[in-house]
Amino acid sequence: MDIKSTLKMSLVSLKINKMRSILTSLGVIIGVSSVIIMLAVGEGASQKIAKDMESMGSNLLMIHSAAATSGGVRMGRGTKPTLTLKDAEAIEKECTGVLGVSPTSKETQQLTYGNQNWSTSVTGTNGAYIYIRDWEILYGRNFYKEELKNSSKVAIIGNTVANELFGDVNPVNKTFRIGNVPFKIIGLLKPKGQNGMGQDEDDTVFIPILTAQKKVFGSDFPGTVNMIMVKATSDDVLNDVEQQINEILRRRHRIGTNGLDDFEVRNLAQMQETIKSSARTMSILLGAIASVSLMVGGIGIMNIMLVSVTERTKEIGIRMAIGATTFDIRMQFLIESLLLSLFGGLIGIIIGILGALLIKALTGTSIYITCFSILISIGFSAFIGITFGFYPAWRASLLNPIEALRYE
Amino acid sequence: MERKIIEVKNAIKIYKSGDEEFRALNYVSLTVYEGEFVAIMGASGSGKSTFMNMLGCLDKPNSGSYFLDGVDVLHKDQNELAKIRSKKMGFVFQGFNLISRTSAIDNVCLPMIYSGIDEPLRIKKAKEALRIVGLSGRENHMPNQISGGQQQRVAIARAIVNDPPLILADEPTGNLDTKTSIEVMNFFVSLNEKMGKTIVLVTHEPDIAEFCKRVVTFKDGNIISDTIKKKR
């Protein structure tokens, strides 16, 4: 018997029981569409996390000074002023595989321009900071070397600050005040939007770090910084660079072999990996839940196929009497269940995609439908059709033709 | 030498139900030559149905031998038997046994699907078979849309479509009224005489047996009479 005729025959008997076929497929339809939706939502979430992570900059290492202890009371991270500008210079000079080093100090300051004022975090840093954190300058320019060395009063501002102080006017070359100190704006940053924690990345001002220390922040420990950011040339050398930084800083801070670090190096890539893997776990979990409904759909198919075999016992007997082999009978029922599950799978994919788009439209959740989830759904429904169709088909093929013919 | 279509020797069939054993066939031997039209008669429980199932390769005797058109069918497996059924014999049943909700022509096509005939030829042969039984123009009728006599003629078309040498009919007129019965029987006669088919027909009605050339009577698992009324 050729496959085309079997296919045709199975299609005919499915068409005879239209309603039943549709209801049987419903289990698979629901299963497949929920797999598609769940995977789309899960994938959308991890893509969003990845995007948020990228906005922080990639291949980053962050060096903080350790916590200070004052009269037995431990202060927070970065409170012990052990990191210096000289450390940053040493790292830049001695480390291999480093693309840029940027010492930073941060403080909240009041900004004024004309009759407008605004409070925001002011970061004292250098020119490397822009590309270390993946910023782009929309108008104007980055700091010049001389400006950094001479502690010039120049600033690069974020989009939010520009809007609050200047409205629609281009702020480049305007002069505003940080505290009481007048600063000339040399650059406007391209907006980044919110970061992963919901903070507005564009609400920021960068000034040369020497300027910040000498003229704005009024540090108790001149020459120290809150944090040093290091951008490695690639993902692969990140751990090696971290190792080098540890060696350099321990040497420079004269920490013996058994001494505790007075600084802490944090690897942003590791954090990203952790968050990504938890997102991945989430989508696997969602997928697993959805697979359960696929499983239930498969059992539904098996149930109906068993009913169908019993109901069509006589038909099976007739087919056997006029020359059907056990293989022919098995194939017919197997193909029927395969068709049911594939039909369910296809409808499920359509409903799943529509459902995911609907969720996006209604809630604004980011979704991402992967080719993988569609392929896995088709594969899974075919698998279910064959697995759960096999037992009924096998039972049908084992019927005794005489008894089957006598069955009423 | 004449072609032996059926050659059964010393067939014994024992059914067990619980502790009781029942001998449905007791050393039955029968030879049917090509072109014969045999009626098998007997009361219910006489063993005629068991014998018929054996002839149709649906059941095997506990001992004895059965050659169908020279082939030892007792030593074939299920799949080989299925092939033999589709090539060597056509079945006509009492209850018509058409597949419901399937058109007349699709029912007639079925044996050819299993014997591996291509679709265009299949449809051509099915139409021809339906024309022979006088049902041209009803190819697409469903079994429940035509009368009992017509259904039985579809079943006959299905039995002859693969052009088998042997036709087995199990009480083909049992569900039909007298007038239709006579029509169907005349049809079997013409199949036998004009197309040269060998026919073995089970019936318990003497009137029906009248149409046949040879009457074999069963009782308690034995053949008690074998009368040839008309020469082949």
Side-chain angles (χ1 to χ4, degrees):
Chain A
M1 190 170 59
D2 56 312
I3 198 83
K4 198 178 132 207
S5 309
T6 321
L7 210 68
K8 221 169 164 183
M9 226 152 57
S10 304
L11 262 179
V12 166
S13 49
L14 290 179
K15 246 200 276 180
I16 286 170
N17 287 306
K18 252 191 218 104
M19 193 62 186
R20 187 161 86 184
S21 303
I22 291 170
L23 285 177
T24 309
S25 307
L26 201 60
V28 177
I29 293 176
I30 293 172
V32 167
S33 54
S34 47
V35 165
I36 298 253
I37 292 176
M38 297 281 194
L39 287 182
V41 170
E43 188 60 29
S46 36
Q47 296 253 334
K48 189 173 186 305
I49 290 167
K51 220 178 114 200
D52 290 343
M53 283 293 178
E54 262 165 37
S55 78
M56 293 181 73
S58 49
N59 304 333
L60 279 191
L61 291 170
M62 296 199 282
I63 311 159
H64 290 272
S65 50
T69 311
S70 161
V73 180
R74 296 187 71 209
M75 318 293 269
R77 175 191 294 128
T79 46
K80 195 174 186 180
T82 54
L83 289 177
T84 63
L85 286 171
K86 294 262 190 294
D87 287 335
E89 279 165 23
I91 290 169
E92 188 155 24
K93 232 181 265 167
E94 296 175 29
C95 268
T96 54
V98 166
L99 203 63
V101 177
S102 175
T104 63
S105 286
K106 222 182 234 187
E107 239 177 55
T108 301
Q109 291 285 336
Q110 200 70 21
L111 315 179
T112 48
Y113 174 75
N115 57 357
Q116 300 292 322
N117 74 94
W118 184 248
S119 171
T120 192
S121 95
V122 173
T123 305
T125 184
N126 63 7
Y129 193 71
I130 300 285
Y131 63 83
I132 284 180
R133 292 287 317 272
D134 287 343
W135 282 101
E136 276 175 60
I137 291 176
L138 191 61
Y139 295 117
R141 58 173 175 86
N142 202 342
F143 302 120
Y144 289 149
K145 254 188 189 157
E146 296 74 29
E147 289 169 337
L148 294 167
K149 217 185 274 173
N150 303 337
S151 44
S152 302
K153 289 174 279 183
V154 288
I156 300 171
I157 65 171
N159 194 50
T160 305
V161 174
N163 282 338
E164 295 297 336
L165 291 182
F166 301 95
D168 293 335
V169 182
N170 185 350
V172 176
N173 290 326
K174 296 267 190 304
T175 301
F176 73 125
R177 283 169 190 275
I178 299 176
N180 286 322
V181 188
F183 275 81
K184 185 180 158 203
I185 295 170
I186 57 165
L188 174 67
L189 296 167
K190 192 176 171 188
K192 267 191 182 181
Q194 291 187 347
N195 69 9
M197 322 299 162
Q199 285 166 334
D200 182 2
E201 292 260 15
D202 302 321
D203 191 3
T204 191
V205 173
F206 304 152
I207 56 176
I209 187 147
L210 282 176
T211 319
Q213 290 180 337
K214 288 181 185 163
K215 297 177 177 163
V216 185
F217 297 170
S219 169
D220 295 337
F221 304 95
T224 65
V225 296
N226 293 150
M227 182 171 70
I228 299 172
M229 277 196 177
V230 179
K231 187 181 180 75
T233 48
S234 79
D235 209 23
D236 307 326
V237 300
L238 215 49
N239 288 327
D240 179 47
V241 170
E242 188 176 344
Q243 193 63 36
Q244 293 181 53
I245 290 171
N246 274 318
E247 281 164 20
I248 292 167
L249 290 182
R250 285 175 74 88
R251 195 187 68 227
R252 287 184 56 82
H253 295 183
R254 297 195 177 82
I255 300 167
T257 26
N258 296 323
L260 288 171
D261 287 348
D262 60 355
F263 60 91
E264 184 189 0
V265 183
R266 286 209 288 165
N267 189 335
L268 219 61
Q270 277 169 7
M271 271 168 62
Q272 287 179 7
E273 209 38 62
T274 314
I275 296 176
K276 264 189 211 160
S277 83
S278 67
R280 212 173 300 133
T281 312
M282 190 67 184
S283 45
I284 288 171
L285 186 72
L286 290 175
I289 294 170
S291 320
V292 171
S293 53
L294 252 180
M295 202 73 158
V296 173
I299 292 168
I301 288 188
M302 176 147 84
N303 190 9
I304 290 296
M305 289 312 293
L306 281 175
V307 169
S308 176
V309 166
T310 309
E311 197 188 68
R312 286 155 65 190
T313 299
K314 185 151 194 162
E315 179 192 319
I316 294 165
I318 299 169
R319 287 177 185 276
M320 284 175 160
I322 60 178
T325 61
T326 50
F327 178 77
D328 292 334
I329 300 287
R330 211 174 292 166
M331 275 308 274
Q332 186 189 345
F333 281 89
L334 209 52
I335 284 182
E336 272 183 39
S337 69
L338 187 63
L339 282 176
L340 276 179
S341 63
L342 278 183
F343 169 78
L346 280 180
I347 303 281
I349 286 169
I350 295 170
I351 291 182
I353 290 173
L354 291 179
L357 292 177
L358 192 71
I359 287 176
K360 188 182 191 178
L362 290 182
T363 65
T365 318
S366 67
I367 59 149
Y368 191 78
I369 298 164
T370 54
C371 211
F372 168 76
S373 68
I374 290 174
L375 284 181
I376 210 173
S377 304
I378 293 178
F380 221 82
S381 38
F383 172 75
I384 273 179
I386 290 173
T387 317
F388 289 95
F390 190 81
Y391 176 64
W394 179 71
R395 272 217 351 197
S397 71
L398 286 192
L399 284 173
N400 178 338
I402 299 172
E403 281 161 26
L405 275 171
R406 238 181 258 143
Y407 186 89
E408 287 299 333
Chain B
M1 203 171 121
E2 280 172 299
R3 186 177 170 195
K4 287 175 184 170
I5 297 293
I6 291 170
E7 189 179 21
V8 177
K9 275 184 186 150
N10 294 325
I12 299 177
K13 180 72 188 180
I14 295 166
Y15 286 117
K16 280 180 194 164
S17 66
D19 291 339
E20 274 183 63
E21 289 196 351
F22 173 67
R23 191 171 280 214
L25 294 179
N26 190 16
Y27 295 103
V28 173
S29 299
L30 182 74
T31 303
V32 177
Y33 293 93
E34 186 177 21
E36 280 197 297
F37 189 176
V38 184
I40 293 181
M41 295 197 64
S44 59
S46 60
K48 64 181 197 300
S49 294
T50 306
F51 189 65
M52 204 54 183
N53 286 337
M54 197 191 88
L55 291 187
C57 304
L58 295 170
D59 205 354
K60 286 184 178 178
N62 297 79
S63 84
S65 67
Y66 173 26
F67 285 80
L68 173 68
D69 204 9
V71 178
D72 179 5
V73 292
L74 296 187
H75 296 99
K76 300 280 178 192
D77 66 25
Q78 280 297 324
N79 286 334
E80 288 170 314
L81 288 180
K83 292 268 175 295
I84 288 168
R85 278 199 292 272
S86 80
K87 297 230 163 79
K88 298 277 185 196
M89 62 182 81
F91 280 94
V92 179
F93 305 91
Q94 177 178 8
F96 319 137
N97 283 357
L98 298 178
I99 293 178
S100 56
R101 289 182 281 194
T102 303
S103 67
I105 192 158
D106 284 345
N107 262 294
V108 177
C109 277
L110 221 49
M112 292 185 285
I113 290 178
Y114 294 124
S115 61
I117 293 171
D118 287 343
E119 188 167 0
L121 182 61
R122 210 150 73 202
I123 288 168
K124 195 173 152 245
K125 286 181 87 171
K127 278 189 173 158
E128 172 65 13
L130 283 171
R131 192 191 59 75
I132 291 172
V133 299
L135 286 175
S136 285
R138 313 224 168 185
E139 285 94 347
N140 294 314
H141 282 56
M142 296 294 160
N144 58 353
Q145 292 171 327
I146 54 181
S147 71
Q150 287 170 329
Q151 286 187 52
Q152 195 59 298
R153 270 147 63 192
V154 174
I156 293 168
R158 186 177 66 187
I160 61 172
V161 76
N162 262 345
D163 203 21
L166 175 65
I167 297 207
L168 295 174
D170 191 358
E171 306 223 22
T173 59
N175 286 11
L176 301 173
D177 60 49
T178 317
K179 189 168 159 272
T180 325
S181 294
I182 290 168
E183 272 175 34
V184 167
M185 284 317 294
N186 280 327
F187 196 77
F188 275 112
V189 170
S190 74
L191 273 185
N192 176 245
E193 286 179 351
K194 290 187 185 143
M195 298 177 73
K197 300 284 175 201
T198 310
I199 299 174
V200 176
L201 182 148
V202 169
T203 183
H204 58 263
E205 293 169 73
D207 295 350
I208 298 301
E210 280 300 304
F211 287 89
C212 307
K213 295 175 183 168
R214 179 178 171 190
V215 178
V216 175
T217 310
F218 273 74
K219 193 181 179 190
D220 298 332
N222 296 298
I223 294 178
I224 53 165
S225 76
D226 186 351
T227 331
I228 295 174
K229 296 188 295 177
K230 226 194 284 178
K231 260 282 171 230
R232 288 171 262 131

